[in-house]
Amino acid sequence: MELSHWDKKEQAPLVEFLGASLLSHPLMMYYCPDRDKREKFITRYMEHNLPRWIQTGTVLVSDPAHAVGVLLPKNAPEYRSPSKGALSMLSVDHSRRIQSHRNVTRNIVGVMIPREKPVQVLTLFGNAAAQKQELLQLVSEAQDLADEKQFVLVYDTFSRRLVDALENQGFSTGYQRNFLDTHFIQTLMTYNISVSYTHLTLPTI
């Protein structure tokens, strides 16, 4: 289900649920290494970004509202520079980590997919152990949009829990490598394109 408008009070239960359920989400762990501060960080991160993602991309919400899928064009503002609001909301370290992830992802996608191809990057926010079926349904909805609007769908994740399932849903794993100098493994999977990634060479970040 697409979330087409933002009402802070109406969406408060969703934000509260995500704050608690994403404590072990690998991307949130990278963004906010301090577990004691992570729930507050996630809540503020979602409150700040969900209304912006509705404007710049597509936000899909599971039923029940326990997981979120975010589709953003590869050239969305989020993949260029953080907004002033984001900088004031987050610590310098949080902002640096978020922007590092976005820069790396943008550069990899730029190498993987021909420039002329329209691309949208999918990020899933949910507990892959507890909400696997809800997350896979969100992916199916994203695939339907990709088929309808004829864009390349790139799934970006720091978790390998859904990789096998998504390969069964028509995705191909195009990139899998340690993220920078961390222990996190970043995986990028593609749908709606056939490309050989064997000789993928990344640009300098």
Side-chain angles (χ1 to χ4, degrees):
M1 174 181 67
E2 182 174 351
L3 186 62
S4 58
H5 73 282
W6 180 256
D7 182 298
K8 185 174 181 179
K9 184 177 181 180
E10 182 180 331
Q11 304 305 331
L14 171 62
V15 171
E16 182 179 356
F17 185 90
L18 292 174
S21 69
L22 298 180
L23 289 175
S24 297
H25 189 286
L27 188 58
M28 296 296 103
M29 293 171 67
Y30 170 68
Y31 284 172
C32 183
D34 188 337
R35 182 180 176 86
D36 292 337
K37 297 179 179 178
R38 195 174 301 144
E39 184 170 351
K40 182 178 180 180
F41 164 81
I42 295 169
T43 299
R44 296 177 70 189
Y45 179 81
M46 291 298 170
E47 286 178 341
H48 177 82
N49 283 297
L50 281 171
R52 286 157 180 78
W53 291 334
I54 290 171
Q55 295 176 351
T56 59
T58 303
V59 176
L60 303 172
V61 180
S62 66
D63 183 17
H66 291 164
V68 169
V70 178
L71 280 162
L72 293 174
K74 64 178 179 181
N75 294 321
E78 288 80 358
Y79 287 105
R80 294 199 298 270
S81 61
S83 67
K84 292 181 179 179
L87 289 173
S88 63
M89 178 197 73
L90 304 171
S91 72
V92 172
D93 182 57
H94 291 156
S95 296
R96 179 185 60 79
R97 287 170 175 270
I98 291 168
Q99 202 55 40
S100 291
H101 168 240
R102 290 173 177 172
N103 288 343
V104 169
T105 302
R106 182 189 66 241
N107 288 341
I108 297 171
V109 171
V111 172
M112 287 172 60
I113 312 297
R115 182 177 298 180
E116 67 274 10
K117 294 280 189 182
V119 178
Q120 300 229 12
V121 179
L122 171 66
T123 307
L124 296 175
F125 298 100
N127 185 320
Q131 285 108 35
K132 181 177 180 179
Q133 292 309 312
E134 289 97 324
L135 290 169
L136 292 178
Q137 179 57 41
L138 292 177
V139 175
S140 293
E141 292 180 32
Q143 289 176 284
D144 289 343
L145 287 173
D147 290 335
E148 177 188 344
K149 299 182 179 181
Q150 287 300 294
F151 60 80
V152 178
L153 181 60
V154 177
Y155 171 53
D156 172 37
T157 182
F158 276 15
S159 170
R160 286 174 281 186
R161 282 184 178 270
L162 299 180
V163 168
D164 290 344
L166 293 191
E167 287 182 341
N168 290 332
Q169 281 190 206
F171 280 79
S172 297
T173 299
Y175 175 90
Q176 193 171 80
R177 196 174 298 179
N178 281 86
F179 180 76
L180 300 179
D181 58 351
T182 73
H183 70 278
F184 295 103
I185 304 294
Q186 182 174 25
T187 302
L188 289 133
M189 306 182 75
T190 59
Y191 173 78
N192 239 11
I193 189 171
S194 297
V195 180
S196 172
Y197 311 99
T198 306
H199 303 294
L200 179 62
T201 301
L202 298 184
T204 302
I205 304 299

